[in-house]
Amino acid sequence: MKVGFIGMGNMGAPMAKNLLGAGHDVAVWNRTASKAQPLQAQGARVVKTPGEAARDAEVVVSMLADDSAVEAAVLGPDGIVGALPKGAVHVSSSTISVALSERMTKAHADAGQGYVSAPVFGRPEAAAGKQLWVVTAGPKADVDRVRPLLTALGRGLTELGETASAANVVKLSGNFLIASMMEALSEAFALTEKSGVERAAFLDVFKSVFARAPIFENYAGAIAKGQYTPAGFALRLGLKDVTLALEAGRHAEVPLPLASLLRDHFLTGVAQGRGDEDWSALGALAQERAGLPKKG
Amino acid sequence: MKVGFIGMGNMGAPMAKNLLGAGHDVAVWNRTASKAQPLQAQGARVVKTPGEAARDAEVVVSMLADDSAVEAAVLGPDGIVGALPKGAVHVSSSTISVALSERMTKAHADAGQGYVSAPVFGRPEAAAGKQLWVVTAGPKADVDRVRPLLTALGRGLTELGETASAANVVKLSGNFLIASMMEALSEAFALTEKSGVERAAFLDVFKSVFARAPIFENYAGAIAKGQYTPAGFALRLGLKDVTLALEAGRHAEVPLPLASLLRDHFLTGVAQGRGDEDWSALGALAQERAGLPKKG
Amino acid sequence: MKVGFIGMGNMGAPMAKNLLGAGHDVAVWNRTASKAQPLQAQGARVVKTPGEAARDAEVVVSMLADDSAVEAAVLGPDGIVGALPKGAVHVSSSTISVALSERMTKAHADAGQGYVSAPVFGRPEAAAGKQLWVVTAGPKADVDRVRPLLTALGRGLTELGETASAANVVKLSGNFLIASMMEALSEAFALTEKSGVERAAFLDVFKSVFARAPIFENYAGAIAKGQYTPAGFALRLGLKDVTLALEAGRHAEVPLPLASLLRDHFLTGVAQGRGDEDWSALGALAQERAGLPKKG
Amino acid sequence: MKVGFIGMGNMGAPMAKNLLGAGHDVAVWNRTASKAQPLQAQGARVVKTPGEAARDAEVVVSMLADDSAVEAAVLGPDGIVGALPKGAVHVSSSTISVALSERMTKAHADAGQGYVSAPVFGRPEAAAGKQLWVVTAGPKADVDRVRPLLTALGRGLTELGETASAANVVKLSGNFLIASMMEALSEAFALTEKSGVERAAFLDVFKSVFARAPIFENYAGAIAKGQYTPAGFALRLGLKDVTLALEAGRHAEVPLPLASLLRDHFLTGVAQGRGDEDWSALGALAQERAGLPKKG
């Protein structure tokens, strides 16, 4: 396929290289032109504007830093929308806002072009090693068309339906999960260190008990299904344990804001009559706050 | 060894059975006597009080529901402290408060007895299958003495030093990590569902990207070492992404309190000059809040 | 009346002096005896133990720093419970836990003594000037008996029913309101200062608009009655404005954790269909979290 | 003066009427024209577009619902920027974002026009009774020019310097203070009600102790000055009391998320060595989180 690739950062460059390796004809663009040079040696054509990369492409892929970079390259002067042929498809892999993804959905539709959102999970090394996980959403015909490219970028693909911005929400939710785990780890290390535990020792426990174990997967499954009874570990015991952690924090003088948040949610669960459900019924509370119909 | 075992709940019973299986001589006690019967069939002696189980034991292990149950069995009338021979050791495996663990440390020391804290990670099935992970702390001589029992209970052991209550803090921190991940998953499912993503599809992404992957382990290592430069993913990008998640939440009308907490912490990091460090520098912020000396 | 007074701190001393001034016969005790001396010059009898102060008193008032000081003076050796005559009343004015207040309720009842909880609002200057506000709860007969003393301590009295610990909850709630306002002010000053506003100028606005104005009183009335319609200012506008404040905070790099909390609550209100109610419907959300029956 | 007034909502209409009453010549515009009719009876000229109201005005005042309404009226077709004579001034009284205020600052400057931000505090009744409090910021010459109008709108004025958007931050901070107090009251009512206190009784305490008292004013002064020693009430006692409130909340099953936030902040203060400062040192913590230089 004739492909335009916008953005030669530490993610975009190895992704473009993988498309070249899969036999596609690739034109690349980067705001700082020098970063595009290495791709030329590997067979890419370097162009001067996003529009030039899109001009006669069947598919143009963009992988940029943030909303303003994407907005400029797609909707700005000499941008993708103005140049992409009717019927060709824009694949947006950047981590951007839902609002911008919705604006691009409309702009491409108005121009008779296709638009697919396809953010990726993985670091630059994963991009280089074709180990990214791609999540995608958009009109079925467009996704069908670009699927060979998406599968050339990584080790797997989850398709999320016809609303392109849904893939952006999933990418943002994934980064939110990582940040949450880091915050939880940060507080746990602070608490254990100030209680006299070597950081290396707590790391050893974490690796032995949690890392690569099915525990998070199992809880994710329970929350996905909204199945909170019978309780494996009752929510009121969750309240007990997080309260004990907070007391340990007061004892050692360690603030634990995430634990405070959990305590409030567990206590809400108990106050609302869910004390004997499984502690993963945190999932039910989140749904109720959001005004979603109850599961389970 | 001659062992007393206090508490035949769904954790205590399989643990006592494993000690029997390892060839130890075990006397068991439970508040509701009927629950101790099945162990009798497997060779245990059933006794009438915690004191009786401790009377001529070399080691007594307790595995009970909460602080008040442990307090009654250990410090109450006909309890362990009153009956355990001098030089014998009490191994406390319950999930209890730091304050109670410190009180028992003192009470046993005053009585010339040993005291080791040894909470376990794992569900009843893991207890039955000898798959628990044990964390332990206490005076070295006491830990040396009971190590054969601890290794008979599970698949591994992390030793945490001579302050018994440190093992309780680690156990509470572990449960806190699980609850944190459940809360993060709960919010992520609420956000993606209300944005039109099937819960099964988001579960598929979670399993493919996070579950059993080294990602959390890698971040735990960075936070343990306090190594936040060079940035793999800059903290100011973390602020950007969590802000986008909150905007997506407002768009779909989904409150995300854990994301709000993360936003405040990332923004604090940026305001304090850490915007270009890795986003795992959340760990540095937790240390500073706790008044710990800076790492990294 | 014959009165014992326990605790000659910066609150207790002026309170005891007011009782002397009202013509009562007062025996005073303090852990550090020297602090009781000034009262002697004003006609008080200084005694050696709390029990001695209680021995032949009709009423004993205690005003101490915290739970452990109260526990020692009331339930400890040579304490109030052991010495107070049957039918005499203990008035507890300290800021203590609900749990300790409940234990004292029981201990005094078991001993045939009366017990009234009567915490006070006001600083030492207010105590000296008889400007305290007293909140009290306990059995009606006991409150009737000590009312002349309570009115001698301050400018007014709110009676809260027969459950003594209710007065402790109200005192703790009052201190919580003060701390909340300080936190809100702290965040607002940080935001405005970093946005270029002199702290003195924002203080001027605060004094002109809020201080001593009926605004908080009016909202307290609405929340007390659970009357959230018609909206004076709609909850969805509250969400708009707190979101704008958070955006201003991001712009100026000022974390606003209390604003984040408010945003989540307003967004929950909108998601649950309360967007067109008055923004004081935060009160309805708090009731629902607590599992209380709905108002309004 | 010749004045244009944009927006005849429940705030704009009485404000415009006060300008008429002060003898000014006023042209009014409203998106829904019928709402402008009552002003005609009082001497105003009703016009068809914002531009028409601005065309030959010396000052144009706008009072609209939100960012999008202001953006349309000011920057849209036939809007204020396109029509206002050079040297004339736009006074923006709407509650809007800092970002939009900054955009208008630039747009008016580019067009050779003046721009002053002047949001108001007060309900429609206060607007009608000339009881609004106005906060204003902008270039000194522009503020000097419009001051007679601003003083005709309310009972007083605080001037905040030459950066127009600073007045918007102050308005948002004021609404944030109100919302914070409502949240605090909401949690306090939930806690006391579920602990058996009549809502009317707690309202009585609130009115007697806090409403219209100088307490909040005094703390605002301390935080403004950053004066946290000597302590009137030590931060570590604040930690004690808010912890007791949280324990009372657990006892009665009432989640108190604002109290949790306060606990974390007080505990951070203690961990960082501020336990003996006044509890208003919450202000110092907010400054440090924001990366502001320390006060006090």
Side-chain angles (χ1 to χ4, degrees), chain C residues 65 95 123 133 155 158 175 183 186 193-194 199 204 208 212 217 219 223-224 240-241 265 283 287 290, chain D residues 65 123 133 155 158 175 183 186 193-194 199 204 208 212 217 219 223-224 240-241 265 283 287 290:
Chain C
T95 302
R123 291 280 181 110
W133 191 269
R155 64 186 164 92
T158 301
N175 280 9
E183 174 66 25
S186 298
E193 180 184 0
K194 211 167 171 182
R199 289 171 91 87
D204 180 59
S208 305
R212 310 199 195 192
E217 191 173 332
Y219 280 118
I223 293 168
K240 183 203 77 163
D241 282 4
H265 289 194
Q287 287 191 295
Chain D
R123 292 281 181 109
W133 191 268
R155 65 186 165 91
T158 301
N175 280 10
E183 174 67 24
S186 298
E193 179 184 1
K194 209 167 172 182
R199 287 171 92 88
D204 180 59
S208 305
R212 311 200 194 193
E217 190 173 333
Y219 279 118
I223 292 168
K240 183 203 77 165
D241 283 4
H265 289 192
Q287 288 191 293

Side-chain angles (χ1 to χ4, degrees), chain A residues 123 155 175 194 219 241 290, chain B residues 123 175 194 208 219 241 290:
Chain A
R123 291 282 181 108
R155 65 186 165 91
N175 280 11
K194 210 166 172 182
Y219 279 117
D241 282 5
Chain B
R123 291 280 180 108
N175 281 9
K194 210 166 171 182
S208 304
Y219 279 118
D241 283 4

Side-chain angles (χ1 to χ4, degrees), chain B residues 7-164:
Chain B
M8 291 291 109
N10 52 11
M11 289 298 292
M15 288 166 70
K17 193 177 160 189
N18 282 332
L19 295 183
L20 282 167
H24 299 287
D25 174 9
V26 183
V28 301
W29 175 83
N30 198 63
R31 202 176 43 146
T32 310
S34 59
K35 283 200 175 172
Q37 294 313 319
L39 270 289
Q40 195 161 24
Q42 295 168 31
R45 186 161 47 95
V46 178
V47 299
K48 296 247 164 55
T49 66
E52 195 181 337
R55 193 91 58 213
D56 47 29
E58 292 163 85
V59 179
V60 61
V61 183
S62 60
M63 186 60 174
L64 295 158
D66 57 23
D67 273 35
S68 66
V70 172
E71 193 171 348
V74 176
L75 303 166
D78 218 347
I80 295 173
V81 165
L84 193 68
K86 269 185 208 298
V89 181
H90 173 205
V91 174
S92 169
S93 289
S94 315
T95 301
I96 55 167
S97 70
V98 168
L100 179 56
S101 193
E102 292 183 347
R103 282 178 58 204
M104 291 197 287
T105 298
K106 184 168 184 321
H108 284 298
D110 289 351
Q113 302 152 352
Y115 172 69
V116 165
S117 187
V120 300
F121 286 98
R123 291 280 180 108
E125 314 81 72
K130 283 190 56 171
Q131 291 300 307
L132 297 175
W133 192 270
V134 183
V135 292
T136 193
K140 189 171 179 312
D142 295 341
V143 174
D144 286 345
R145 187 125 177 241
V146 303
R147 194 175 291 109
L149 295 182
L150 300 181
T151 52
L153 292 173
R155 65 187 166 89
L157 177 67
T158 301
E159 303 189 15
L160 296 160
E162 306 228 15
T163 305

Side-chain angles (χ1 to χ4, degrees), chain A residues 155-178:
Chain A
R155 65 186 165 91
L157 177 68
T158 301
E159 304 190 15
L160 295 160
E162 305 227 16
T163 306
S165 66
N168 301 98
V169 174
V170 166
K171 170 63 185 175
L172 294 173
S173 298
N175 280 11
F176 161 67
L177 288 178
I178 300 171

Side-chain angles (χ1 to χ4, degrees), chain B residues 215-251:
Chain B
I215 181 165
F216 296 137
E217 190 173 333
N218 293 345
Y219 279 118
I223 293 169
K225 286 180 207 123
Q227 192 170 325
Y228 307 124
T229 53
F233 187 75
L235 193 144
R236 78 174 68 251
L237 292 178
L239 173 58
K240 183 203 76 164
D241 283 4
V242 79
T243 303
L244 291 177
L246 286 163
E247 288 174 7
R250 183 166 178 196
H251 191 76

